[in-house]
Amino acid sequence: MRHIAIVGSGPAGYYTAEAALKQWGDSVRVDIFDTLPVPFGLIRTGVAPDHQSIKGVSRRYETTALTDNVRFVGNVMIGRDLSIDELQDLYDAVVLATGAPNDRKLGLPGEDLPNVFGSASFVGWYNGHPHFAGLDPALSHDTAVVIGNGNVALDVARILAKSQEEFAGSDIVSHALSALDTSQVRRIVILGRRGPHQIAMTPKELGELAHLSRACPRVDTADLPAETEDAALDPGQRKSVTHLRAFAAAGPCADRDVVIEFDFFAAPKAIIGCERVEAVEVERTRLEDGKAVGTGETYSIPAGLVIACIGYQTSKIPDVPFDERGGRFANDEGRIRPGLYCVGWARRGPTGTIGTNRPDGFAIVEKIAEDIGDGSGKAGRPGFDALADERGIQIIKFTDWQKIDEAEIANARDGAPREKFVAVERMIEAAGRT
């Protein structure tokens, strides 16, 4: 019997468990650990609440979770409840699938001012992540600045711009919905250091901005390159730029309450304020060999809320080598050291889509199979259970999660799929545990 421990129950974790089942069938036991009492990681707390179709992939993970060979072990923090070394003593292979839940810092003066947030915390706030449920952003100023030119920046801008009615069918948590309902934000500026041809925004997400009921997107035609240059783009980028050209052609947004402005060739230089953020200082840029270079021309955008959507990094774990520059675990194609591996964003950094993690999971299982052969006779699941009993670690299993799931669905407001618990204690109570 081979015993595999996977740390992290998001897409990378469950795809790796699925790959292990296909590789070894009944000759493997997989325990999937998570700090929270609830599974699915990014699907639950990272995917935008109004993108319910994407969240449907969790049904695939549930199929894996309900097999006899796979167990969800929630409410257990590796590095706090037990160490990596202890986990390696118990399992033939330990796979870190912890994702990249932490914001990269801007590295700018003033970024620690109140009401300046990273996207992980802001998205966690409206998605009901227990670590960020108490964020309480002030939405009393008329202007918000969103820094970044990727899909997360679009998600944040869209959530800020939507009307109450447009959240029907979403699982946005009630505390965020109430705050957004009284929001005074009427201008959302999306800052990008480079131009329209360099954005990392996909066509679907950009296209959604054209269908908001009370908001409209605006692009300065002067920021757009010659249309003939679009031919050099790949099809997806070309579609995205086509949306930007349509936003520019539509002109002013006189009949809408909220405007979403794309400010290209604009690099933030400092966050300005005393007791809280009051403005963002910006330097105009130009492209040189595809890189943004400052021109020396600066201007200020008055703003009461700033959200930086510039990327993420993996959480460090004691005694695990870390690549500071890449924001991930130091590894050689997924191998960290004998018996210890990483997969998904923890391996390659925050790149790719949810589906990208599936081949990643299968690839790491092939490496594990090469390394461990028939297994080494380690204690595996029974050994961990004995250690958990000894230390008083309360495990939340998948059957417990199903009770939490039922309670969230039962508590949903009209038209919503669920009302998430945002406190770990409430989750554990809903599971029928103390």
Side-chain angles (χ1 to χ4, degrees):
M1 183 63 65
R2 298 155 187 85
H3 298 284
I4 311 293
I6 298 173
V7 183
S9 69
Y14 270 107
Y15 282 129
T16 302
E18 177 187 328
L21 291 178
K22 290 187 181 297
Q23 177 74 30
W24 293 297
D26 286 336
S27 298
V28 69
R29 295 289 182 271
V30 180
D31 282 350
I32 302 179
F33 293 85
D34 202 292
T35 301
L36 294 179
V38 293
F40 307 141
L42 178 73
I43 303 301
R44 178 179 171 91
T45 58
V47 172
D50 54 350
H51 284 175
Q52 288 297 303
S53 60
I54 297 175
K55 291 175 183 272
V57 73
S58 63
R59 288 189 288 271
R60 175 176 187 148
Y61 309 148
E62 185 171 289
T63 301
T64 300
L66 291 173
T67 62
D68 292 336
N69 298 40
V70 175
R71 181 177 70 160
F72 173 68
V73 187
N75 200 39
V76 177
M77 181 183 284
I78 307 305
R80 179 194 66 189
D81 297 319
L82 74 163
S83 69
I84 281 288
D85 286 344
E86 289 173 321
L87 208 59
Q88 283 199 259
D89 287 342
L90 293 169
Y91 293 86
D92 297 305
V94 175
V95 183
L96 304 179
T98 53
N102 301 321
D103 285 301
R104 286 188 180 275
K105 299 290 275 184
L106 284 166
L108 299 179
E111 69 176 308
D112 294 324
L113 282 168
N115 236 38
V116 178
F117 305 105
S119 55
S121 56
F122 193 77
V123 170
W125 169 72
Y126 62 65
N127 262 329
H129 193 297
H131 294 171
F132 306 113
L135 202 67
D136 195 24
L139 305 176
S140 52
H141 195 283
D142 66 352
T143 300
V145 171
V146 180
I147 301 172
N149 265 190
N151 279 345
V152 177
L154 286 179
D155 285 344
V156 168
R158 189 180 67 254
I159 295 299
L160 285 171
K162 276 195 166 186
S163 66
Q164 190 88 348
E165 293 73 25
E166 287 176 294
F167 286 110
S170 79
D171 65 350
I172 188 170
V173 290
S174 290
H175 67 245
L177 191 62
S178 297
L180 290 165
D181 190 38
T182 58
S183 169
Q184 299 302 304
V185 175
R186 295 295 179 267
R187 180 190 181 208
I188 302 161
V189 182
I190 302 177
L191 289 184
R193 293 181 301 110
R194 298 187 293 172
H197 277 192
Q198 289 76 41
I199 60 172
M201 300 168 171
T202 51
K204 179 181 180 298
E205 281 67 28
L206 263 174
E208 288 181 83
L209 298 187
H211 303 288
L212 298 174
S213 65
R214 66 170 191 158
C216 76
R218 189 165 67 191
V219 173
D220 188 340
T221 54
D223 286 338
L224 293 165
E227 196 164 352
T228 54
E229 296 180 25
D230 292 356
L233 301 174
D234 67 48
Q237 286 179 304
R238 197 155 52 243
K239 288 180 182 177
S240 293
V241 174
T242 297
H243 284 305
L244 295 177
R245 293 190 184 281
F247 300 160
C253 306
D255 60 338
R256 303 293 176 91
D257 295 330
V258 179
V259 60
I260 302 171
E261 297 179 18
F262 287 84
D263 193 359
F264 293 109
F265 306 106
K269 303 302 290 182
I271 313 297
I272 301 166
C274 294
E275 295 183 359
R276 55 177 272 182
V277 57
E278 297 171 13
V280 179
E281 182 184 341
V282 181
E283 181 179 17
R284 187 62 67 197
T285 67
R286 65 175 182 272
L287 287 182
E288 290 185 6
D289 297 326
K291 294 182 179 181
V293 177
T295 64
E297 177 191 348
T298 61
Y299 57 98
S300 180
I301 302 174
L305 172 68
V306 175
I307 302 131
C309 308
I310 60 167
Y312 304 109
Q313 58 184 8
T314 297
S315 298
K316 296 179 182 179
I317 297 177
D319 302 320
V320 179
F322 195 78
D323 174 3
E324 296 285 353
R325 184 170 182 177
R328 59 188 180 182
F329 295 116
N331 70 94
D332 180 10
E333 295 186 345
R335 290 184 173 101
I336 298 175
R337 63 179 182 231
L340 184 62
Y341 307 82
C342 56
V343 70
W345 283 9
R347 178 188 74 81
R348 66 181 189 272
T351 60
T353 64
I354 290 169
T356 308
N357 293 295
R358 186 176 185 273
D360 213 23
F362 277 75
I364 205 63
V365 164
E366 288 181 5
K367 290 179 174 62
I368 294 170
E370 293 173 11
D371 295 345
I372 69 171
D374 294 331
S376 57
K378 291 187 177 181
R381 186 177 299 176
F384 168 76
D385 289 346
L387 183 62
D389 287 343
E390 178 186 323
R391 296 184 179 176
I393 301 170
Q394 178 165 236
I395 299 169
I396 299 297
K397 299 180 182 179
F398 202 81
T399 50
D400 298 317
W401 149 246
Q402 289 177 312
K403 294 175 184 177
I404 298 169
D405 186 36
E406 289 173 4
E408 289 186 341
I409 292 170
N411 292 339
R413 63 185 176 274
D414 288 346
R418 67 177 63 244
E419 181 62 46
K420 295 175 189 170
F421 294 112
V422 298
V424 168
E425 294 81 3
R426 293 293 309 281
M427 296 174 184
I428 292 173
E429 288 173 9
R433 311 290 289 275
T434 58

